[in-house]
Amino acid sequence: MAENLYNVSVIVMPKAEILDPQGKAIIGALKSLDFCEVQDARIGKMVHLKMTGASREEVTARATSMAKSLLSNPVMEDFRVIVE
């Protein structure tokens, strides 16, 4: 079976119960610039990968495994995998 090329994004964010001082600093800076409509901000990271695989399901499973073992800290962070 031929392998397809997929674009994968892994979005990693701090868990809701984890304090995010960078996010708080962003809110303060935006409010000082008169962007007062912003109520919350959280800083995370996004990892873009180009992956080959036989199916979207296979690539999603492999990327999820990568996110659990290397790309995120499961104690402090949540992640989401998007395969295109």
Side-chain angles (χ1 to χ4, degrees):
M1 180 179 249
E3 293 204 334
N4 299 309
L5 183 63
Y6 294 90
N7 290 310
V8 179
S9 297
V10 180
I11 301 167
V12 182
M13 297 295 293
K15 290 187 176 194
E17 60 272 14
I18 300 295
L19 293 176
D20 184 0
Q22 290 178 309
K24 297 294 182 211
I26 292 290
I27 292 171
L30 288 170
K31 287 185 186 276
S32 74
L33 294 170
D34 204 27
F35 294 108
C36 298
E37 64 272 23
V38 177
Q39 299 300 307
D40 193 22
R42 309 247 338 137
I43 303 297
K45 60 188 171 189
M46 181 181 298
V47 180
H48 290 283
L49 306 167
K50 287 196 182 287
M51 295 177 59
T52 57
S55 69
R56 178 182 300 271
E57 292 76 21
E58 175 191 324
V59 169
T60 300
R62 294 292 289 161
T64 299
S65 180
M66 292 174 197
K68 286 180 181 176
S69 62
L70 176 68
L71 302 177
S72 72
N73 176 347
V75 173
M76 299 177 63
E77 297 171 318
D78 291 321
F79 66 87
R80 186 174 76 208
V81 175
I82 301 169
V83 178
E84 299 172 335

